[in-house]
Amino acid sequence: MSLTELTISQVHEGLKKKEFSAVELCRNYLDNIKTRNKEVFSFLAIRESAALSEAEKTDDLISNGQETPILAGIPVAVKDNILVEGMKCTAASKMLENYVAPYDATVVSKLKKQGAVILGKTNLDEFAMGSSTENSYFGPTHNPHDLSYVPGGSSGGSAAAVAGGLSLYALGSDTGGSIRLPASFCGVVGLKPTYGAVSRYGLIAFASSLDQIGPITKTVEDAKIVFEAIAGRDSLDSTSIEPKIENWKLEIENLRIGVPKEYFVKGINPEVEKLVKGAILKYEKAGARVIEVSLPHTEYALPAYYIISPSEASANLARYDGIKYGFSQKEKSLLDVYLKSRGEGFGAEVRRRIMLGTYALSSGYYEAYYKRAQKVRTKVIEDFQSAFKKVDVIMTPTSPVLPFKIGEKIEDPLAMYLVDVYTVSINLAGLPALSIPCGQVGKLPVGLQIIGQPFEERKILAVAKFYDH
Ligand code: GLN
């Protein structure tokens, strides 16, 4: 097996047995980046010498006979909306093109404490707004399975890095599907944790009540390892909590799988439907019970998401005013500084969201849009609560469509928003969900989404592992 194919636990064992060194492993990935990043464009910034010296530290510990943590010496790619001290953190925006992070995000400091080797920062849709990674100021990322296709978004750089062998694993963020969708489009595993399971400190905010950081990995087991490394209460994020670590053992004959009827309707690609149903059948054949459930407010979740997330974004992005942070256009009047800096610093999709959100929150429209969307959010939460009275997990496709061509949807924001139809409800409800590959149509991967109750990451990981192996 080549070094690039190894999973986290295989690398951990290999390092321990001195079959290879962390420096060799790091060089292997840096070489892969050198040969492939030009065409895939996963990485916006590469951290060569710092990564190699981090790898050396692990090698030193091992040669001194010390035990090392599971992620020690293992290369990781970090989405460029998560702060790594001393590195630029651009959020793929002209606004933050030259912004250097003054501190580490909590997830990054947790990985560094284990001895992780940070390879660099990955491309995304500007401020994580998008489903294809085409909204990056620096240019689109390409799907490593076929370079003319999108990798999904917004964590497309992270997913493409893992799928293309440019990093062993990666961190992404998910506000409405941005970990799961690119994982699905790139044929890798992506876990969006329960809201509050992972600290958001040092994540550039998009929509604070929906954002979560999570792992993108080659296998379910790797996702579990990374999740456990980054999860937990952080005094720097008051919405984070210490989840109960309860290991959950899968007994397939006692597993009840919910399949929501609203997710298998007109508009779903028939080949996606076939592969996802085939995956669910695998569980059924092994003894699990498949139960049809109803999530009746599904059709309202997407419109509610596209009111709530731009509303929060319009508030979060108010800080980029040409004075406090980032890109600044020098003008005579203060108002002109604001207008020019924001008008030129933000791309078209970000400006669209700021306008949508500002409108939805403005007096006179607040009740009609924002407040109603919040009521829908409560209905969506209740839908899941009643479904979970009957089932242990819920399975759906991650996306109703196959990966699409670069350029195919970028001029049509509504078509792009519809790609998120199966992922946004999970963020509205704050639930954990993961996407695992369940087959391919030609070269194009398809993902199965497994949804659990709050803080039941271990359950959905155990259920996913059954399929993975
Ligand atoms: N595609 C969705 C959006 O554009 C979700 C983005 C995300 O999860 N960050 O809002």
Side-chain angles (χ1 to χ4, degrees):
M1 246 205 249
S2 82
L3 283 181
T4 309
E5 285 164 56
L6 301 178
T7 64
I8 292 175
S9 42
Q10 287 168 337
V11 164
H12 183 65
E13 283 305 304
L15 288 173
K16 215 159 56 182
K17 293 191 191 134
K18 301 204 177 106
E19 287 165 6
F20 48 84
S21 70
V23 167
E24 273 174 82
L25 181 73
C26 181
R27 280 197 203 286
N28 170 74
Y29 276 104
L30 289 170
D31 286 347
N32 293 354
I33 294 171
K34 264 177 214 143
T35 46
R36 284 216 84 187
N37 197 50
K38 275 188 249 49
E39 51 182 27
V40 176
F41 197 48
S42 276
F43 282 89
L44 294 176
I46 300 154
R47 196 168 162 269
E48 187 161 346
S49 58
L52 284 166
S53 63
E54 280 165 357
E56 258 170 50
K57 278 191 204 142
T58 295
D59 285 338
D60 289 347
L61 289 176
I62 293 172
S63 59
N64 289 337
Q66 267 176 269
E67 281 274 330
T68 54
I70 182 93
L71 291 173
I74 302 199
V76 54
V78 180
K79 185 176 180 178
D80 206 21
N81 59 351
I82 300 172
L83 271 50
V84 175
E85 188 181 339
M87 284 199 91
K88 279 188 186 171
C89 194
T90 67
S93 179
K94 181 177 179 180
M95 185 59 89
L96 292 177
E97 193 176 2
N98 296 311
Y99 172 72
V100 176
Y103 58 89
D104 281 326
T106 295
V107 289
V108 170
S109 56
K110 285 191 167 194
L111 294 182
K112 279 187 176 171
K113 261 191 213 122
Q114 285 216 18
V117 173
I118 298 172
L119 292 173
K121 305 297 296 289
T122 54
N123 201 13
L124 64 150
D125 287 295
E126 187 178 358
F127 284 99
M129 297 175 189
S131 310
S132 66
T133 317
E134 291 168 289
N135 290 334
S136 166
Y137 172 64
F138 304 104
T141 295
H142 298 251
N143 192 318
H145 294 272
D146 183 330
L147 297 173
S148 60
Y149 285 81
V150 302
S154 64
S155 313
S158 288
V162 177
L166 286 74
S167 182
L168 204 159
Y169 73 100
L171 293 182
S173 68
D174 191 314
T175 305
S178 280
I179 288 175
R180 291 158 288 156
L181 185 72
S184 170
F185 278 15
C186 290
V188 291
V189 176
L191 170 69
K192 177 216 121 39
T194 311
Y195 185 76
V198 175
S199 168
R200 290 179 293 113
Y201 182 71
L203 168 68
I204 293 180
F206 164 9
S208 310
S209 78
L210 302 161
D211 299 340
Q212 267 294 285
I213 297 173
I216 297 179
T217 57
K218 297 179 198 177
T219 64
V220 172
E221 193 196 350
D222 283 2
K224 183 168 190 271
I225 294 168
V226 179
F227 169 69
E228 284 172 359
I230 60 175
R233 158 112 185 108
D234 175 16
S235 59
L236 299 167
D237 173 2
S238 60
T239 62
S240 66
I241 75 154
E242 193 64 56
K244 279 188 272 149
I245 312 269
E246 269 170 26
N247 265 321
W248 189 83
K249 227 179 131 329
L250 176 68
E251 287 165 12
I252 192 80
E253 51 298 335
N254 291 330
L255 182 71
R256 296 162 307 162
I257 300 171
V259 177
K261 60 172 192 240
E262 292 81 3
Y263 281 56
F264 293 87
V265 289
K266 216 175 108 246
I268 181 172
N269 176 306
E271 288 169 305
V272 170
E273 180 169 4
K274 205 168 111 201
L275 285 172
V276 169
K277 286 197 166 153
I280 297 171
L281 194 64
K282 192 176 160 195
Y283 286 92
E284 199 172 16
K285 282 199 175 135
R289 261 207 301 149
V290 174
I291 299 164
E292 187 181 88
V293 292
S294 175
L295 301 168
H297 296 88
T298 296
E299 67 173 301
Y300 308 110
L302 193 72
Y305 171 84
Y306 276 100
I307 294 290
I308 293 169
S309 68
S311 297
E312 293 187 22
S314 73
N316 275 326
L317 271 59
R319 70 190 74 174
Y320 307 107
D321 57 3
I323 307 271
K324 296 197 238 5
Y325 288 93
F327 178 75
S328 181
Q329 205 53 291
K330 305 277 167 283
E331 295 293 329
K332 288 209 184 68
S333 78
L334 183 61
L335 181 63
D336 281 339
V337 173
Y338 290 161
L339 296 177
K340 281 276 170 57
S341 304
R342 288 169 68 80
E344 288 172 28
F346 290 133
E349 183 59 29
V350 176
R351 292 201 306 273
R352 183 178 299 122
R353 307 260 181 137
I354 291 173
M355 286 190 281
L356 274 171
T358 309
Y359 181 80
L361 290 178
S362 57
S363 90
Y365 294 105
Y366 178 91
E367 309 274 324
Y369 295 107
Y370 185 73
K371 204 166 163 195
R372 284 178 83 181
Q374 291 291 16
K375 287 183 178 168
V376 171
R377 185 175 191 171
T378 303
K379 293 284 178 205
V380 169
I381 295 170
E382 288 167 0
D383 280 359
F384 279 109
Q385 282 169 344
S386 63
F388 278 120
K389 286 196 183 117
K390 296 182 222 123
V391 298
D392 300 298
V393 294
I394 292 175
M395 291 190 187
T396 76
T398 306
S399 164
V401 294
L402 289 168
F404 43 91
K405 287 239 159 139
I406 292 181
E408 196 179 315
K409 292 188 199 282
I410 196 71
E411 300 301 333
D412 184 353
L414 273 182
M416 192 70 90
Y417 296 172
L418 278 169
V419 176
D420 305 328
V421 67
Y422 293 159
T423 49
V424 296
S425 328
I426 284 88
N427 299 71
L428 289 174
L431 303 174
L434 60 72
S435 180
I436 53 166
C438 68
Q440 280 183 220
V441 178
K443 288 188 200 163
L444 304 174
V446 172
L448 166 73
Q449 176 171 244
I450 306 178
I451 309 160
Q453 296 198 65
F455 304 105
E456 288 193 344
E457 279 80 3
R458 281 160 194 83
K459 188 187 259 186
I460 56 173
L461 286 160
V463 171
K465 188 143 193 284
F466 173 83
Y467 190 79
D468 214 12
H469 288 286

